[in-house]
Amino acid sequence: MSGDRLLYDYWRSSAAYRVRIVLNLKGLEYEQKSINLAAGAQSGVGFKMLNPHGRVPYLIDGDTGLNQSLAICEYLEERHPEPSILPGDAARRGHIRAAAQIIACDVHPLNNISVLRYLKNDLSQEEDALNAWYHHWIDTGLRPLEELASASKGPYLFGDTVTLADVCLSPQMYNARRFRMNLEPYPALVEMDKRLMQLDAFQAARPEAQEDAS
Ligand SMILES: N[C@@H](CCC(=O)N[C@@H](CS)C(=O)NCC(=O)O)C(=O)O
């Protein structure tokens, strides 16, 4: 079965990390092909022919090839509804998607590798400016999520079950640590992330557990 499912991946990609978590949560086997983003492999002809967007993750599932992590996660949810990462009624699912999108749409795109390279190489920004930029946009996303985490009646962002919002949270927390962000202002998120990282699906998806980790 895993022969039918191939994830174009990179150990440090937080967008690919989300997809790895969902595949693991749903117990779906998959093979991985590493696209070395640090070496620029995302711009290689072979990968660009497959995925003109030139970014990971990219999932091949049988006859289907898909990019965009949230689209992939929702595709997997529709194909394999249990356990659900979008539980509840339309309103609840809307809230879960909104929290996930704070990270995936409002924070992550501003801190992506190509954006940071553009700031550095084309706009001649120094390391300090890059760090200030990076931390600023993470903070704008983590603040409202900290409120959500504090108000949650369960161990995860939306109560007792792991949802798409948690799937986006842990990779973002990993990323923030990697760029030495001070996480003291977000104690509820730090605790929530610790609980999430105790789950097998999250452990197996963490960057250092990937074969291409260096
Ligand atoms: N919105 C996309 C973002 C994908 C993305 O930006 N991936 C990054 C790694 S986390 C990437 O491949 N970057 C390569 C580049 O910017 O050149 C998603 O959620 O899948």
Side-chain angles (χ1 to χ4, degrees), residues 10 12-19 35 37 40 42-43 47 51 53-58 67-72 104-105 108-109 112-115 117 175:
Y10 183 60
R12 267 189 164 156
S13 159
S14 50
Y17 189 173
R18 297 170 197 150
V19 174
I35 299 295
L37 300 185
Q42 67 274 34
S43 307
F47 184 59
N51 177 18
H53 191 44
R55 295 187 183 193
V56 296
Y58 187 83
N67 65 335
Q68 290 292 347
S69 62
L70 292 191
I72 297 171
C105 303
H108 178 261
N112 191 15
I113 192 167
S114 52
V115 171
R117 278 191 187 143
N175 209 269

Side-chain angles (χ1 to χ4, degrees), residues 97-156:
R97 288 188 177 103
Q101 287 174 24
I102 288 180
I103 293 170
C105 303
D106 295 346
V107 175
H108 178 261
L110 291 163
N111 291 341
N112 191 15
I113 192 167
S114 52
V115 171
L116 298 178
R117 278 191 187 143
Y118 182 75
L119 286 170
K120 186 175 174 183
N121 300 333
D122 298 72
L123 301 183
S124 308
Q125 295 301 308
E126 301 292 337
E127 204 65 28
D128 284 354
L130 293 189
N131 282 333
W133 168 281
Y134 184 88
H135 291 174
H136 172 75
W137 293 115
I138 294 192
D139 179 62
T140 61
L142 291 190
R143 276 185 193 277
L145 292 177
E146 174 67 15
E147 283 187 31
L148 195 63
S150 305
S152 174
K153 295 193 169 49
Y156 310 122

Side-chain angles (χ1 to χ4, degrees), residues 9 11 20 30 32 203-213:
D9 197 357
W11 66 292
R20 296 196 295 263
Y30 60 101
Q32 287 160 283
Q203 267 298 313
R206 80 197 151 79
E208 283 72 20
Q210 308 313 303
E211 271 187 18
D212 59 342

